[in-house]
Amino acid sequence: MQHGKYRFIVGFLALPLGLYALFVVWPFIQSIYYSFTDWTGLSPEFKMVGLDNYRRMLDDEIFWKSLQHSLIFAVVLPLVTISLALFFAFMINVGGRRRRGGPVISGVRGSSFYKIVYFFPQVLSIAIVALLFAFAYNPDSGAINSILRGIGLDSIQPLWLGDPDLALWAVMAVLVWSTVGFFVVLFSAGMASIPADLYEAALLDGANRSTTFFRITLPLLWDTVQSGWVYMGILALGAESFAVVQIMTTGPGGPDYSTTVMVLYVYQKAFRDGQAAYATTIGVALLVVTLAFAALVMRLGRRERLEF
Amino acid sequence: MGSTSAEYDGTGGVGRRDLIKRSAALGLISVPTMSFLSACASSGGDDGGEKAKAGKKTAKNPLGVNETAGMEFVLFDGGFGKEYAQDAVKIYEKNFPEAKVKFSATQKIQSTLQPRFNQGTPPDLIDNSGAEQMDMGVLVGKNQLADLTPLLDAPSYDDPAKKVRDTLRPGIVEMGQFDGDPVWIMYYAYTVYGVWYSQKALDSLDEQYPETWDQMLAVCEKAKKKGMAGWTYAGKYPYYLPFSLYPMIAKVGGREVLDSIDNLEPNAWKHPAVKTCFEAYYELQQKGYVLKGTPGLDHIQSQTAWAQGKALFIPNGSWVENESANVIPKDFDLAVSAPTGIDSSDKMPFGTIWASGGEPFVVPAKAKNGTGGMEQLRIMLSEASSKNFTSKVKSLTAYNGGTDGITLTPGLKSGVAALDKAGENVVNPRIQDWYVQLQKEQIGVSGLGEMMAGRLTPAEAIKKIQGFADAAAKDTSIKHYKHQ
């Protein structure tokens, strides 16, 4: 009987695992292999160079800068985005005042409208969002500085993307803006499945909004938050951060390397400088960082799971 | 949260469902960052197939093209469009009616052609240009390109008594060389770099284009009083600044200064001429003659501000006329000038300008019908094809001449005049095609960009740039070149 069970499971898993092995695991192995070569990416010839690429990477100042920025992305972005999304989702679903004759828990007035508004950036491709914000950040005629001028703050006209101290934060703000809506919807769905009687009981005991949030909503939503955290961190380390940095920033990656991130560096080394092998080396470093990040979040986030 | 799996054991870390979720998320990032790198390698083999047999050399077919062999031509479909190349292909087809020509145009040069280079089956002629340009130094270093010397020594299309090499503008042949004699690249377009301005705006200030730096400062001061900035530039891509800065350095200190910079010689940037020019540019910034907010503008935004009359001068190349055509007013009277020098003690005369080839065409070494590719280039370098290009896309070609009898736009006309004035004094810094990262990211963004934003003094900028240049000279992972 046991034997039959495994055959049954294997039958279902073979195809997806095969595809996964072919399109994900195999390229990984290949990339790791290439990181030990001097392959340029422009000709089929290459030879093994041992650990040279790794030695070079450890001495590469720009690599360390990009690593540092990627880590800031991976820590700050999930923190800000998820906190904001939790707050918005809570206000939309639970945070409203009780209205006579209405349901026990409800969102603030106009919550269904807010829900759509928050989700709106999600339908725009990240490339379009980045372009729009690049216009908004234009110090000469962009929306932000025009508004500042409009309300009489003529003296405050930052260079935004042109200022090494501001550029990284300006880029991160765009990512927060464009992803927060997705998490609002995700958390809203999670909150909707928390039984209303738990809230009722809390309200009867005189709990206020913040108590309700920290004692009921957050613990029961923990799994979703944790998955969201990993997902957001991976976005911040990977594709999304590449898109905004590549499209918006000076250089790209500047000014003065203040916004360069690992994925951008991989791209530049592979496709601008014809050093594909070194690019895969940085790719391997990125893989290690990503795995470490996921492992860390899982470890820190582990707690008792509630069943209801 | 009723969806939580009941089989969860509470201690073992990751549940099945989560595992799949996470691996999918991991895949999301890893696939683009890694698999695309490897997707294009490893299948390498030299089974490129047979090369076409050489045809008979005749007066009409000096390269000996096989008249029945197919020819494949891949063009970069960019600012110049593809019509000019299609017209040239038609001539090839007319001359060799039995040959089948496969023509395609793409913006994705690298994604389309990299796998084919890796497999040893590249096309016969490539316009390796645009954002996805394949690194020329690497292609040359890995013996992927064919030497174009047979083409240069062949009789030109119009005049059998003249070699192709003698019909080209100055500097074109040298630009195609990397190390030694072989010529790997044929630059087809010809770009004039310099300071671009509106003659109308200058007239309204009652000024001529300034020839000395004191005059430059006076013009900027006058403009400032009228509420107009003197300069703007592509602040987010400060490697546009060298278009006027490098020829200025050559004018002040002589050609050798630029050559030693290109050669990455020690202390090349410490030359007094470099310091003088950096200080001159820095003064523009310090005196408030640079349009406010410029360091945050990209090339299009800065060109738009300039076209709207917010700034007088912009360092740029001759493509600006086409690129900003829809924002430049009709009565703008676009003009270009060689950069302003310091004074009459400069080593080279006023008029010293940077001009060089653009749109690099290459014939791969492993092409099946490389001779056909060269013949196609020979056709494109004829006077008729060159005129066709100039009238269609408002740019000069490598063919020396080819402007008679066609109406030139204001910018183009002024470019031709500037070249005439320069005569022999055309400089051609190679650093931007030899060391891309050094030129763009390090000298441009981290050096000049920071200085022009007022965050570095000229002395600091020079020190920083010299450091970058020294590091590049020592870096064994990049190929080094020297002026011959």
Side-chain angles (χ1 to χ4, degrees):
Chain A
M1 200 55 214
Q2 276 294 26
H3 182 69
K5 183 175 128 195
Y6 284 121
R7 197 186 290 169
F8 182 73
I9 293 171
V10 167
F12 270 99
L13 285 182
L15 185 66
L17 279 183
L19 286 174
Y20 189 76
L22 183 65
F23 290 111
V24 181
V25 179
W26 180 238
F28 269 71
I29 295 170
Q30 272 193 314
S31 309
I32 294 170
Y33 167 67
Y34 287 125
S35 70
F36 295 107
T37 68
D38 68 347
W39 183 46
T40 58
L42 288 170
S43 95
E45 298 144 27
F46 55 83
K47 57 177 192 299
M48 300 299 288
V49 293
L51 287 170
D52 278 7
N53 285 322
Y54 288 90
R55 248 175 252 131
R56 181 178 159 203
M57 182 171 80
L58 296 180
D59 277 341
D60 187 344
E61 207 181 310
I62 303 167
F63 165 74
W64 289 109
K65 268 196 181 157
S66 63
L67 175 66
Q68 188 193 340
H69 295 147
S70 280
L71 290 180
I72 297 180
F73 266 83
V75 173
V76 175
L77 271 182
L79 192 69
V80 175
T81 312
I82 288 177
S83 316
L84 266 180
L86 273 175
F87 173 72
F88 289 147
F90 183 74
M91 294 315 277
I92 284 173
N93 291 288
V94 187
R97 274 173 211 285
R98 186 159 178 204
R99 285 183 281 276
R100 192 178 292 270
V104 184
I105 45 164
S106 64
V108 293
R109 219 175 274 273
S111 60
S112 54
F113 171 72
Y114 290 133
K115 216 183 269 186
I116 294 170
V117 171
Y118 290 142
F119 196 67
F120 195 68
Q122 194 65 29
V123 303
L124 295 174
S125 121
I126 187 72
I128 296 171
V129 171
L131 267 181
L132 284 177
F133 272 89
F135 284 120
Y137 281 132
N138 176 339
D140 174 46
S141 54
I144 300 178
N145 278 5
S146 300
I147 291 172
L148 285 176
R149 273 195 295 270
I151 56 172
L153 292 170
D154 289 50
S155 54
I156 306 173
Q157 294 281 301
L159 292 173
W160 298 115
L161 297 168
D163 185 336
D165 298 329
L166 279 179
L168 192 66
W169 306 107
V171 169
M172 279 203 235
V174 174
L175 276 182
V176 170
W177 184 84
S178 70
T179 47
V180 79
F182 172 76
F183 291 100
V184 170
V185 172
L186 183 74
F187 295 151
S188 292
M191 285 179 194
S193 68
I194 297 175
D197 36 354
L198 292 176
Y199 285 109
E200 267 176 57
L203 288 176
L204 283 176
D205 289 343
N208 60 16
R209 274 182 196 159
S210 71
T211 321
T212 326
F213 177 77
F214 284 108
R215 294 293 169 86
I216 298 193
T217 312
L218 194 56
L220 290 177
L221 208 58
W222 193 249
D223 270 357
T224 320
V225 172
Q226 204 180 12
S227 306
W229 196 287
V230 175
Y231 179 68
M232 187 64 210
I234 285 169
L235 281 189
L237 283 169
E240 306 283 277
S241 69
F242 170 75
V244 283
V245 172
Q246 164 82 5
I247 295 171
M248 291 174 62
T249 64
T250 302
D256 203 14
Y257 298 110
S258 59
T259 56
T260 184
V261 287
M262 286 172 93
V263 252
L264 178 77
Y265 199 41
V266 170
Y267 174 84
Q268 287 178 331
K269 279 291 154 199
F271 296 116
R272 186 192 61 192
D273 301 339
Q275 300 175 3
Y278 185 50
T280 53
T281 313
I282 305 163
V284 170
L286 181 60
L287 173 72
V288 172
V289 171
T290 314
L291 289 177
F293 172 80
L296 193 72
V297 172
M298 289 303 140
R299 190 127 202 108
L300 290 179
R302 188 187 299 162
R303 51 159 82 179
E304 288 274 318
R305 190 167 300 211
L306 294 149
E307 301 283 343
F308 50 83
Chain B
M1 292 305 301
S3 65
T4 308
S5 164
E7 287 144 351
Y8 186 74
D9 63 14
T11 53
V14 184
R16 224 176 30 226
R17 185 188 300 265
D18 285 340
L19 183 71
I20 294 170
K21 245 193 288 186
R22 279 163 219 167
S23 6
L26 271 183
L28 263 185
I29 163 184
S30 329
V31 169
T33 50
M34 304 190 74
S35 62
F36 73 146
L37 287 174
S38 24
C40 35
S42 57
S43 55
D46 287 22
D47 49 350
E50 299 289 297
K51 290 219 173 205
K53 284 205 178 74
K56 223 180 135 196
K57 289 192 186 184
T58 60
K60 286 217 110 184
N61 183 5
L63 288 164
V65 178
N66 182 334
E67 303 191 359
T68 55
M71 197 272 285
E72 189 185 352
F73 179 3
V74 179
L75 184 85
F76 168 66
D77 189 3
F80 294 139
K82 56 186 175 187
E83 221 183 316
Y84 76 95
Q86 280 165 332
D87 292 344
V89 165
K90 275 181 208 138
I91 302 176
Y92 186 96
E93 283 171 330
K94 210 179 98 210
N95 294 355
F96 303 100
E98 284 169 73
K100 247 184 98 180
V101 180
K102 195 175 156 208
F103 174 83
S104 56
T106 176
Q107 298 200 352
K108 305 210 161 286
I109 291 289
Q110 176 136 23
S111 347
T112 336
L113 296 180
Q114 188 163 357
R116 296 187 57 187
F117 271 99
N118 276 320
Q119 283 164 11
T121 55
D124 303 308
L125 179 62
I126 303 166
D127 171 13
N128 182 19
S129 187
E132 280 208 16
Q133 181 183 57
M134 295 175 284
D135 189 292
M136 293 286 190
V138 177
L139 286 177
V140 172
K142 292 280 171 185
N143 303 319
Q144 293 292 314
L145 300 184
D147 180 8
L148 299 177
T149 307
L151 164 69
L152 293 168
D153 288 335
S156 68
Y157 197 80
D158 302 303
D159 179 4
K162 235 177 169 181
K163 286 182 183 174
V164 169
R165 136 184 347 264
D166 300 323
T167 62
L168 303 177
R169 289 185 188 275
I172 289 287
V173 174
E174 290 73 33
M175 275 194 78
Q177 296 172 325
F178 276 80
D179 259 339
D181 290 333
V183 178
W184 307 112
I185 308 163
M186 181 71 230
Y187 286 91
Y188 188 61
Y190 197 67
T191 308
V192 179
Y193 302 92
V195 181
W196 296 79
Y197 60 96
S198 155
Q199 187 61 51
K200 188 188 156 215
L202 212 51
D203 287 345
S204 76
L205 290 174
D206 227 4
E207 285 285 353
Q208 294 290 313
Y209 183 83
E211 294 193 10
T212 69
W213 204 253
D214 285 339
Q215 288 169 7
M216 171 57 85
L217 295 175
V219 172
C220 288
E221 184 61 38
K222 218 167 176 179
K224 195 181 177 187
K225 282 194 183 121
K226 288 207 167 181
M228 193 185 199
W231 283 66
T232 187
Y233 60 92
K236 283 167 91 173
Y237 310 109
Y239 41 85
Y240 277 56
L241 282 165
F243 297 155
S244 60
L245 181 62
Y246 285 180
M248 180 181 179
I249 291 173
K251 176 173 161 24
V252 174
R255 246 177 233 283
E256 321 75 69
V257 188
L258 287 186
D259 285 355
S260 65
I261 285 175
D262 284 347
N263 291 342
L264 302 181
E265 283 166 22
N267 293 326
W269 290 90
K270 301 260 167 90
H271 193 282
V274 176
K275 189 151 184 276
T276 315
C277 296
F278 272 46
E279 275 165 358
Y281 270 59
Y282 189 62
E283 198 175 356
L284 293 176
Q285 197 273 337
Q286 291 291 300
K287 292 202 163 148
Y289 297 154
V290 176
L291 179 69
K292 234 179 134 198
T294 292
L297 301 181
D298 68 15
H299 57 302
I300 300 290
Q301 291 163 346
S302 66
Q303 283 160 207
T304 305
W306 160 79
Q308 287 165 349
K310 290 184 185 169
L312 205 49
F313 302 116
I314 190 168
N316 222 312
S318 40
W319 61 81
V320 68
E321 186 166 33
N322 222 9
E323 194 170 52
S324 287
N326 52 351
V327 288
I328 295 179
K330 278 227 162 55
D331 57 350
F332 193 74
D333 208 1
L334 179 68
V336 60
S337 168
T340 309
I342 296 295
D343 54 36
S344 55
S345 68
D346 293 349
K347 291 253 171 68
M348 291 173 85
F350 177 72
T352 302
I353 201 165
W354 180 357
S356 68
E359 290 306 290
F361 281 77
V362 292
V363 175
K366 288 182 184 151
K368 277 191 193 144
N369 186 12
T371 338
M374 291 191 208
E375 175 65 16
Q376 178 68 71
L377 271 177
R378 199 174 74 95
I379 293 170
M380 289 168 65
L381 289 166
S382 69
E383 185 171 4
S385 295
S386 166
K387 266 188 184 168
N388 184 37
F389 179 82
T390 305
S391 55
K392 282 210 167 103
V393 305
K394 302 180 195 146
S395 167
L396 298 172
T397 71
Y399 178 82
N400 201 352
T403 50
D404 304 330
I406 48 178
T407 350
L408 298 178
T409 52
L412 200 51
K413 204 153 108 195
S414 144
V416 173
L419 283 177
D420 279 346
K421 186 172 167 60
E424 286 294 297
N425 298 319
V426 172
V427 293
N428 185 0
R430 301 299 304 280
I431 193 166
Q432 72 171 3
D433 39 283
W434 284 353
Y435 309 106
V436 180
Q437 186 190 10
L438 175 67
Q439 163 71 6
K440 290 193 165 175
E441 200 173 288
Q442 302 184 322
I443 297 173
V445 178
S446 297
L448 295 173
E450 292 298 289
M451 182 183 89
M452 289 307 279
R455 294 188 288 257
L456 286 182
T457 65
E460 287 166 347
I462 287 172
K463 199 170 155 228
K464 198 170 176 188
I465 290 174
Q466 184 63 55
F468 285 134
D470 291 343
K474 265 189 245 132
D475 190 345
T476 50
S477 64
I478 48 181
K479 198 168 156 56
H480 297 102
Y481 305 98
K482 289 260 185 292
H483 278 277
Q484 300 297 315

